Amino acid sequence: MLMEKPAGGERVVLVPCSASSARQWRSLSEQLVGFEPRPIDLWGHGHQHRWHGSGPLHLSEQARAIQDVCPDGAPFHLVGHSYGGAVALQFALSHPDRLLSLTLVEPSCFHVLNELDPRYIDEIRAVAEAVSREVTCGDYLRAMKAFIVYWGGVDSWDMLPDEKKTQFAQVAVHVAHHFWSLVEDNNTPLTAYAEIDVPTLILCGSHSPAPSRAITRLLANAIPVARHRTIPYADHMSPINRAAEVNTLILEHLLTTPRCPSLKHPVRPGIAAR
């Protein structure tokens, strides 16, 4: 049973995954009664302009959108999925004092896989290279097919209507940018995440790709006040195709987080919660 809804309209910034938009969080936003949801769009997605191309699209550039939507310095809750989870972590590393809580749904922090068997990072690099190769030659549909099939399963692309495939193709260049920033540009050591001393919920699906599941375990061990939860039979796109379960877990986390951002947490739950 959920606790009573809070007073004061605490803000909840919601960061979507690659090839998605703020609309991804519509059902969660509708349930955030007593909060102030602020879903954002990333460069080239939703209502946000395309990346201007005057320099690399670093995670820090994406994280500025979080700062922009909460410019007054007041603390807030932060939720991110996949690439959006990596963006959220980038913000958390730079501004841990701004956060009331952090929720990460399979954050795509691929650089931490260097701590494990090289087959994990090799698997991700193969997907990244397939997307970049097709983008380079201009076949955006094939680029997005490689992306969607990896995260959603072998039939996920073929089941999409042509209109949706065309929409995905329009963001293929940005998806290639995302892979670059996640695989090649980020050299943050795993130990750095110990500085994120805020209540953190980390979610993953039991049927998600092995590298994605491994990342959640590594981060749950690294972040001092983290709880790890696995959603049975869910995949990487659980915020969309298993929204009811994901939303319930996020709401529980928001409602049970102490409202004082400076409150210290002597007990480290780690990955005890499954």
Side-chain angles (χ1 to χ4, degrees), residues 22-41:
R23 293 175 58 192
Q24 169 183 332
W25 300 111
R26 180 179 298 171
S27 66
L28 176 59
S29 295
E30 291 172 350
Q31 296 180 49
L32 290 177
V33 179
F35 294 92
E36 183 184 334
R38 295 196 178 187
I40 65 173
D41 286 321

Side-chain angles (χ1 to χ4, degrees), residues 74-76 96-101 197-199 257-265:
F76 56 90
D97 55 309
R98 293 293 312 279
L99 300 183
L100 292 169
S101 76
D197 191 19
V198 297
T257 294
R259 299 191 65 193
C260 176
S262 62
L263 183 65
K264 296 301 179 182
H265 310 274

Side-chain angles (χ1 to χ4, degrees), residues 89-109:
L89 274 172
Q90 179 70 32
F91 182 89
L93 284 171
S94 301
H95 308 282
D97 55 309
R98 293 293 312 279
L99 300 183
L100 292 169
S101 76
L102 179 62
T103 300
L104 305 169
V105 187
E106 296 193 36
S108 296
C109 303

